[in-house]
Amino acid sequence: PSSERAAAHQAWARCQRCWSSRSPSSWQEQAQGTMLKVLTAFKSSEIEQAVNSLDRNGVDLLMKYIYKGFEKPTENSSAILLQWHEKALAAGGLGSIVRVLTARKTV
Amino acid sequence: MAYHSFLLEPISCHAWNKDRTQIALCPNNHEVHIYRKDGAKWSKVHELKEHNGQVTGIDWAPESNRLVTCGTDRNAYVWTLKGNVWKPTLVILRINRAARCVKWSPKENKFAVGSGSRLISICYFEQENDWWVCKHIKKPIRSTVLSLDWHPNNVLLAAGSCDFKCRIFSAYIKEVEERPSPTPWGSKMPFGELMFESSSSCGWVHSICFSASGARVAWVSHDSTLCLADANKKMAVATLCTETLPLLAVTFITENSLVAAGHDCYPMLFTYEESQGTLTFGGKLDVPKQSSQRGLTARERFQNLDKKASSDTTNATLDTLHKNSISQISVLAGGKANCSQFCTTGMDGGMSIWDVKVRRPRSALVPPRLG
């Protein structure tokens, strides 16, 4: 529903800002938690459209959060993250994964 | 021949002579081998054995026909052809780490060596003492210098480093040249002056290249990006995050187009749009697929399942000409302003020559003729 989508967009914007500034690790953890909630909120069929709405920097940022999510798996998180990973990879290519590995600023 | 497999090991580095009849390359050891084109074949004509460590850089001066080599043994040698023998002259670089790259200046009266000592050695010949001396550019380099390229004015030098930065220095040597006239990169150029420094990308700068006019410099980094700084736009930097694995080599082929290649094993075209200050991906060059669209037999399917645990019918082998990463690109014909032919060498031990065809206003890359 549209209210969920709006909430997801807001959370996404907040996560983007959190990454751009030098945020303390507590904020980063909060952003990661929020990010995971946002990604889980989407239905599988909606993932591709969501990814395609992002620009290059957005796809790179999404990929960073996906790998951060892999680092601390929860009950169901890996399955959902893998679905997001497949679509993000199709949009950003291997280069987006390389930039996760070489990034100096972590999410 | 458009693709030649020289070795089963990587070609560490290569350089061509002026008329492109001979290629000097390091076959992943301490030597330099020179091959000459004999019709469709390549024959080895010289073996240069002097280095005590892997040869990491070779450059062949077109006019004076001298070779300069550098290696992990912290040395550089200038080679002169006397009769039919290449004679080496040791150049003391005063470095305590491996040398990584070497380039003759356009006038061939100097050469620059980048090294793991976090500095660049600018070497020139001192007539009175009859030997090569060197001066160091140190500040503010903080890690290994991986790549170098000279500006056409013989003074400015671009350097790519493992500290993630591309820098342009002045390598003005008053003993061998006149004071240079101002360029878009600046007017005061004392030796070692930093004219430009990129803000941090996040990857080692593998390769760097000035455009033919010298007004632009492009570099590729290990974070899968291609960047270009335009001196005519106040040194504004355009960045392109590619979808590929990191690129290892880049060169301009016109003032607005570049060819780069790397760990994806194929060269690709990029164009710079000056008015908007943007870089765009212009297409990849690939060997056209052979018509292998026949289905798999039941036996092959079972073998796939057995060997690779996959019932996938797609081919897992590389479709590209080079079967491993391309580590170096050199312009063969047309210069960096109007390149019509370039060469790639890679970790598969192969060397390939590519033709650039200009169709109407846009360039297109034509795959090499095989066989």
Side-chain angles (χ1 to χ4, degrees):
Chain A
S2 63
S3 62
E4 266 187 28
R5 188 146 310 148
H9 270 277
Q10 251 192 342
W12 171 255
R14 213 172 296 138
C15 289
Q16 261 184 318
R17 281 199 299 276
C18 236
W19 177 80
S20 347
S21 54
R22 281 246 193 95
S23 32
S25 57
S26 53
W27 287 16
Q28 282 192 341
E29 288 216 21
Q30 214 175 33
Q32 282 160 40
T34 312
M35 196 61 204
L36 193 52
K37 281 205 198 100
V38 168
L39 296 180
T40 323
F42 278 76
K43 284 208 280 275
S44 301
S45 49
E46 296 171 334
I47 293 179
E48 187 163 354
Q49 195 183 35
V51 170
N52 290 338
S53 72
L54 298 173
D55 64 356
R56 174 48 46 83
N57 288 337
V59 172
D60 279 0
L61 182 58
L62 172 64
M63 202 49 110
K64 288 188 172 75
Y65 274 112
I66 291 172
Y67 275 91
K68 203 68 195 177
F70 281 145
E71 280 178 37
K72 298 193 175 115
T74 63
E75 178 80 28
N76 251 335
S77 66
S78 290
I80 293 145
L81 287 175
L82 280 171
Q83 288 181 46
W84 277 95
H85 186 278
E86 184 190 354
K87 301 299 179 203
L89 178 61
L94 290 171
S96 59
I97 298 180
V98 171
R99 283 184 286 281
V100 172
L101 298 172
T102 56
R104 305 291 281 174
K105 286 188 262 193
T106 52
V107 295
Chain B
M1 193 116 113
Y3 177 83
H4 183 87
S5 176
F6 276 103
L7 313 159
L8 292 175
E9 289 186 79
I11 293 177
S12 314
C13 48
H14 76 265
W16 290 88
N17 68 346
K18 180 177 180 180
D19 57 9
R20 313 317 193 195
T21 53
Q22 294 187 36
I23 183 172
L25 52 87
C26 170
N28 199 35
N29 60 17
H30 303 179
E31 302 172 1
V32 173
H33 294 176
I34 301 184
Y35 289 79
R36 187 178 52 216
K37 200 147 203 296
D38 269 324
K41 293 191 295 99
W42 289 93
S43 343
K44 194 193 301 188
V45 288
H46 292 110
E47 283 186 3
L48 276 46
K49 301 180 201 210
E50 199 74 21
H51 278 282
N52 287 322
Q54 182 170 57
V55 179
T56 50
I58 306 176
D59 201 15
W60 202 324
E63 303 307 323
S64 54
N65 201 41
R66 286 174 301 180
L67 277 164
V68 63
T69 58
C70 72
T72 57
D73 60 355
R74 312 190 296 267
N75 286 333
Y77 292 93
V78 172
W79 303 78
T80 332
L81 191 60
K82 295 245 164 43
N84 201 30
V85 180
W86 284 96
K87 292 257 191 279
T89 307
L90 174 66
V91 178
I92 310 282
L93 299 174
R94 296 187 285 124
I95 57 180
N96 54 11
R97 293 288 185 279
R100 286 293 266 106
C101 50
V102 63
K103 274 277 172 72
W104 282 108
S105 71
K107 292 208 180 87
E108 300 171 20
N109 51 6
K110 306 183 283 194
F111 62 88
V113 180
S115 65
S117 290
R118 313 189 294 182
L119 53 83
I120 306 170
S121 303
I122 308 291
C123 308
Y124 61 98
F125 196 69
E126 210 173 61
Q127 278 297 140
E128 314 87 74
N129 292 321
D130 192 36
W131 69 353
W132 291 86
V133 294
C134 79
K135 290 172 95 161
H136 286 168
I137 297 177
K138 270 183 128 122
K139 292 200 175 73
I141 305 171
R142 298 187 31 225
S143 188
T144 306
V145 174
L146 285 181
S147 52
L148 295 166
D149 195 33
W150 288 90
H151 186 284
N153 75 355
N154 207 60
V155 169
L156 296 180
L157 179 68
S161 170
C162 283
D163 64 1
F164 312 153
K165 294 196 186 272
C166 154
R167 298 183 179 88
I168 298 179
F169 292 99
S170 162
Y172 169 62
I173 302 280
K174 61 184 193 302
E175 285 86 342
V176 303
E177 56 199 341
E178 302 281 300
R179 198 171 280 165
S181 29
T183 71
W185 298 101
S187 15
K188 288 223 187 311
M189 287 175 258
F191 179 82
E193 181 83 358
L194 180 66
M195 314 296 288
F196 167 76
E197 184 179 72
S198 67
S199 52
S200 286
S201 60
C202 297
W204 308 314
V205 178
H206 288 295
S207 175
I208 193 161
C209 185
F210 268 112
S211 66
S213 70
R216 297 168 185 173
V217 67
W219 64 97
V220 286
S221 310
H222 202 68
D223 59 349
S224 292
T225 56
L226 165 70
C227 299
L228 186 151
D230 194 343
N232 290 329
K233 293 178 79 120
K234 304 207 178 115
M235 307 189 203
V237 176
T239 305
L240 178 64
C241 295
T242 69
E243 292 181 17
T244 59
L245 292 175
L247 298 162
L248 294 174
V250 66
T251 183
F252 276 90
I253 52 169
T254 70
E255 198 65 20
N256 292 319
S257 350
L258 304 115
V259 160
H263 289 295
D264 277 302
C265 318
Y266 54 79
M268 36 193 117
L269 181 67
F270 295 91
T271 39
Y272 175 61
E273 175 59 59
E274 181 176 4
S275 49
Q276 308 201 335
T278 53
L279 280 165
T280 42
F281 175 62
K284 76 178 202 180
L285 183 60
D286 218 350
V287 176
K289 281 201 176 69
Q290 318 299 332
S291 55
S292 59
Q293 288 308 320
R294 60 179 186 87
L296 291 178
T297 63
R299 185 195 174 80
E300 282 164 337
R301 229 179 264 272
F302 179 74
Q303 277 182 331
N304 263 354
L305 204 54
D306 178 42
K307 268 193 268 185
K308 306 181 220 176
S310 139
S311 45
D312 203 341
T313 50
T314 56
N315 209 346
T317 57
L318 278 182
D319 282 330
T320 52
L321 196 56
H322 278 283
K323 298 305 180 192
N324 207 326
S325 310
I326 294 173
S327 50
Q328 192 178 340
I329 299 181
S330 54
V331 169
L332 290 183
K336 289 192 265 188
N338 208 358
C339 174
S340 54
Q341 205 178 54
F342 64 89
C343 160
T344 52
T345 55
M347 302 191 194
D348 60 351
M351 181 272 295
S352 183
I353 297 181
W354 310 79
D355 293 306
V356 180
K357 286 242 162 51
V358 180
R359 273 194 223 120
R360 277 167 290 167
R362 288 183 29 200
S363 285
L365 290 175
V366 173
R369 301 168 305 283
L370 290 176

